Amino acid sequence: MKIVETIAETRAFLDAVRAQHRSLGFVPTMGYLHDGHASLIRRARAENDAVAVSIFVNPLQFGANEDLAAYPRDLERDAKLCESEGADIVFAPSVAEMYPSPNPFSIVVGDIGNKLCGRTRPGHFDGVATVVAKLFNIAGPCRAYFGAKDAQQLVVIRRLARAFDFPVEVVGCPIVREADGLAMSSRNVYLEPAEREAALVLKRALDEAAAAVRQGERDGRRIAEDIAARISSEPRARLDYAVCADPETLDDVERVEGAALLAVAAWFGKARLIDNMTVTP
Ligand code: PAF
């Protein structure tokens, strides 16, 4: 497996893959890889002839008071995981390689980026869209794999690919959870043991809401309020949001008649965690 830091070398490697008529699976990440990322790489491996992983902690998607400096990093360990899961190349650029200008151009995603996480993370999805657009440009035609835990991110990236006609098939992959239900996240390392235990309330609240829908609950506002109340009943949780939303537009759903996205975000100590579940009546 090759580890490269430059855009030029990455392009040359991936162009050579396509010149041999081999399909490419691409897994963009911010590193500090866990089993969720491993499952994306495995899926890319199973569905393509070659696999590229990018590892880049993208400063544009962090707000001024967020954890950019503290974000966990371990390239050596990540590279081993990529190799053991069968990646062919890891692209791990520096910030200067990705953003040579101190005032980089940015994509503005608009309304879809201002909902859910965007309410408390202004500009976050502009930063995500900008780096993903660059990564898609660098990777070229491929299938790109993203986890469904970042449900809003997946919606934004699908729209991005359509809006700019990237020759990229965006593949959403299921959330990977720890044995006790906690959704895997690089930010779980911030959790103290008691906070980690408390964070299980996210999945429990979603499970209870899904059970309510199965039993006939259709009132979107009540579903969202019940999820919020359940999470807020946990003393260590500081709720950001709980919604019952349309999976495509992310607008609140009044009556659950088709698929609905139940999505939550809450703080546990230093960690802001998100989780979601799609329910269908
Ligand atoms: O989900 C992530 O790890 C990041 O937001 C992404 C898509 C790699 C962009 O930096």
Side-chain angles (χ1 to χ4, degrees), residues 39-161:
S39 77
L40 301 181
I41 302 171
R42 274 199 293 277
R43 173 122 179 231
R45 179 76 274 162
E47 295 180 355
N48 301 279
D49 301 317
V51 174
V53 179
S54 67
I55 297 180
F56 179 62
V57 181
N58 171 36
L60 292 197
Q61 67 188 77
F62 287 78
N65 301 318
E66 293 186 356
D67 56 343
L68 173 61
Y71 196 83
R73 293 159 167 90
D74 190 342
L75 183 57
E76 209 176 306
R77 201 196 69 168
D78 288 348
K80 281 193 191 127
L81 183 142
C82 291
E83 186 155 33
S84 68
E85 295 298 347
D88 299 278
I89 179 169
V90 168
F91 171 50
S94 65
V95 172
E97 177 72 5
M98 288 297 274
Y99 301 120
S101 154
N103 297 309
F105 273 38
S106 179
I107 287 176
V108 178
V109 303
D111 192 39
I112 195 80
N114 298 329
K115 303 171 183 181
L116 314 194
C117 292
R119 285 190 209 130
T120 46
R121 304 190 71 191
H124 168 71
F125 290 103
D126 294 349
V128 170
T130 301
V131 79
V132 171
K134 286 177 67 76
L135 291 168
F136 282 179
N137 248 326
I138 295 163
C142 63
R143 291 193 188 95
Y145 295 80
F146 297 89
K149 180 169 72 72
D150 297 274
Q152 185 173 13
Q153 170 169 285
L154 194 50
V155 170
V156 167
I157 291 171
R158 284 192 201 285
R159 287 190 183 202
L160 173 81

